Amino acid sequence: VQLQASGGGLVQAGGSLRLSCAASRRIFFTYDLGWFRQAPEKEREFVAVITLNAIRYYADSVKGRFTISKDSAKNTVDLQMNSLKPEDTAVYYCAKFMGGRYYDPGNYNGWGQGTLVTVSS
């Protein structure tokens, strides 16, 4: 597994969670890395991406609530999620960007197992 997401769990609406994506050193220093999520019976959707130069892009639905960051000492990309809503419930995945448009999951690979986030109302 090239990338492994962790940190999911059950949280009440309005709460916070911090997800972490562990990458190999080679991947961490070679690729832009993104977070996606997939709710039951829905398509996988873009959440956020951080470039090698630490430029960040977010989906409109999470802008102002989620923050993506990376730790070069640990080779991890984290997703701090605040003010969580029930509609944020999904399995969250991280992946490496291969080129094209950031919001298209078809432009990523290295998907790991994902981590489940459940937000109760």
Side-chain angles (χ1 to χ4, degrees):
V1 176
Q2 296 183 330
L3 295 162
Q4 183 62 56
S6 63
L10 174 64
V11 64
Q12 287 189 332
S16 298
L17 275 177
R18 188 175 184 89
L19 306 183
S20 186
C21 173
S24 69
R25 182 176 177 82
R26 181 186 69 83
I27 288 175
F28 186 87
F29 286 101
T30 303
Y31 298 96
D32 300 345
L33 296 173
W35 282 96
F36 282 75
R37 66 187 182 187
Q38 187 165 17
E41 301 182 359
K42 291 191 176 181
E43 293 187 351
R44 193 165 295 188
E45 67 170 356
F46 171 76
V47 174
V49 64
I50 187 164
T51 71
L52 288 169
N53 293 328
I55 298 172
R56 299 161 173 84
Y57 299 98
Y58 297 94
D60 288 344
S61 59
V62 307
K63 204 171 293 183
R65 300 187 298 122
F66 291 11
T67 302
I68 190 170
S69 61
K70 57 183 181 180
D71 186 332
S72 59
K74 298 179 181 179
N75 297 338
T76 59
V77 175
D78 293 344
L79 186 69
Q80 177 66 42
M81 307 186 296
N82 299 329
S83 302
L84 282 161
K85 305 175 181 180
E87 51 263 44
D88 294 317
T89 295
V91 176
Y92 283 71
Y93 301 88
C94 55
K96 59 184 185 183
F97 178 65
M98 304 306 292
R101 297 181 179 181
Y102 280 126
Y103 60 78
D104 185 348
N107 293 329
Y108 292 75
N109 67 20
W111 304 93
Q113 278 189 311
T115 186
L116 176 63
V117 172
T118 304
V119 184
S120 63
S121 57

